Amino acid sequence: MVVCICNAIRERDVREAARSGARSACQAYRALGRQPKCGQCVPFARAIIDEERAVA
């Protein structure tokens, strides 16, 4: 599933960044070499990161 259309970031990319230590959407985007543009994806990315942190 695509999380961020502006940056073509997929859910698996955000999950991988979270598993690598990203604790926020901005940290995950930086880990992927990108930054949020319009911001509509940030809440969804944050939820994915929270899920990954809960499982770990």
Side-chain angles (χ1 to χ4, degrees):
M1 170 185 299
V2 175
V3 173
C4 176
I5 294 170
C6 298
N7 287 301
I9 296 174
R10 296 189 174 277
E11 181 178 350
R12 68 174 179 251
D13 300 326
V14 176
R15 289 189 185 281
E16 188 174 312
R19 289 182 201 126
S20 296
R23 294 177 163 255
S24 69
C26 288
Q27 287 179 353
Y29 283 43
R30 274 195 298 268
L32 297 167
R34 299 181 182 109
Q35 63 183 5
K37 293 185 181 184
C38 73
Q40 290 185 351
C41 57
V42 172
F44 185 45
R46 191 176 303 134
I48 292 169
I49 292 166
D50 290 345
E51 265 182 37
E52 286 297 319
R53 292 186 67 208
V55 172

